[in-house]
Amino acid sequence: DNAFGRGCLTARRLVERGVRCVEVTLDGWDTHINNFAVTAGLCDTLDRGLAALVRDLVERDMWSSTVVLCTGEFGRTPIINAAEGRDHWPHGFSLAIGGGPVKGGVVIGDTGQGSNKPTDPVAVQDVCATVLSALGIDPATENQTPGGRPVKLSDGTAIAKLLASA
């Protein structure tokens, strides 16, 4: 019973009623100082809320038609700094995706222990294209701005090994 958990419950209820896209946020991950203590509490909150959301979707037979993406907005260094924190790191970040046609148990890439060159990297636009494809939307679709400018949904390519239909 916390704001994130209530957000996950609300998200499930909204999806159940036909809302196509819902965002639930959990702030506080910018752990430049005291990373271990701060993330322990955040992980407990995230794990309980996300697990309840997935369980709800499975129990209501909605998992196969719902895509869930869990990610942050920026990578964190794999090395702990002098203040026992983790700084910003543009070389890689982690995310979890499941539901819909997404294959379970697939791991792609590795940020390693401090290397600035993650192995098997995936571009953000490919993640976007994968989510769109999982939702049945062609990532190459172009929309027009009110001024007539074409805007493609994604310049990426769906990650085939993540999608069951591939």
Side-chain angles (χ1 to χ4, degrees):
D1 186 18
N2 55 50
F4 180 72
R6 287 186 296 277
C8 289
L9 176 60
T10 300
R12 190 265 299 158
R13 289 176 174 169
L14 288 168
V15 170
E16 204 167 35
R17 284 161 181 78
V19 175
R20 298 211 38 178
C21 185
V22 180
E23 178 182 7
V24 180
T25 60
L26 177 58
D27 293 330
W29 296 93
D30 202 15
T31 58
H32 295 279
I33 299 170
N34 201 17
N35 175 74
F36 297 104
V38 174
T39 58
L42 288 167
C43 286
D44 183 58
T45 300
L46 176 67
D47 290 351
R48 290 172 187 260
L50 186 58
L53 173 62
V54 170
R55 185 174 48 250
D56 269 3
L57 292 170
V58 169
E59 287 175 357
R60 287 168 170 77
D61 199 28
M62 297 168 59
W63 182 246
S64 64
S65 62
T66 305
V67 176
V68 175
L69 181 67
C70 180
T71 187
E73 88 291 1
F74 205 81
R76 309 301 292 180
T77 56
I79 304 297
I80 303 302
N81 68 24
E84 295 185 11
R86 294 178 69 197
D87 296 318
H88 295 183
W89 196 57
H91 304 290
F93 66 95
S94 301
L95 65 86
I97 183 173
V102 176
K103 293 179 190 174
V106 177
V107 176
I108 300 173
D110 182 356
T111 56
Q113 291 296 313
S115 166
N116 286 345
K117 299 193 184 240
T119 58
D120 200 14
V122 174
V124 172
Q125 58 266 34
D126 292 345
V127 173
C128 293
T130 303
V131 172
L132 289 165
S133 294
L135 294 171
I137 300 168
D138 181 359
T141 299
E142 280 191 0
N143 292 324
Q144 298 287 321
T145 67
R149 179 175 166 255
V151 178
K152 193 183 300 184
L153 294 181
S154 175
D155 286 325
T157 302
I159 306 162
K161 58 185 161 184
L162 280 181
L163 300 174
S165 60

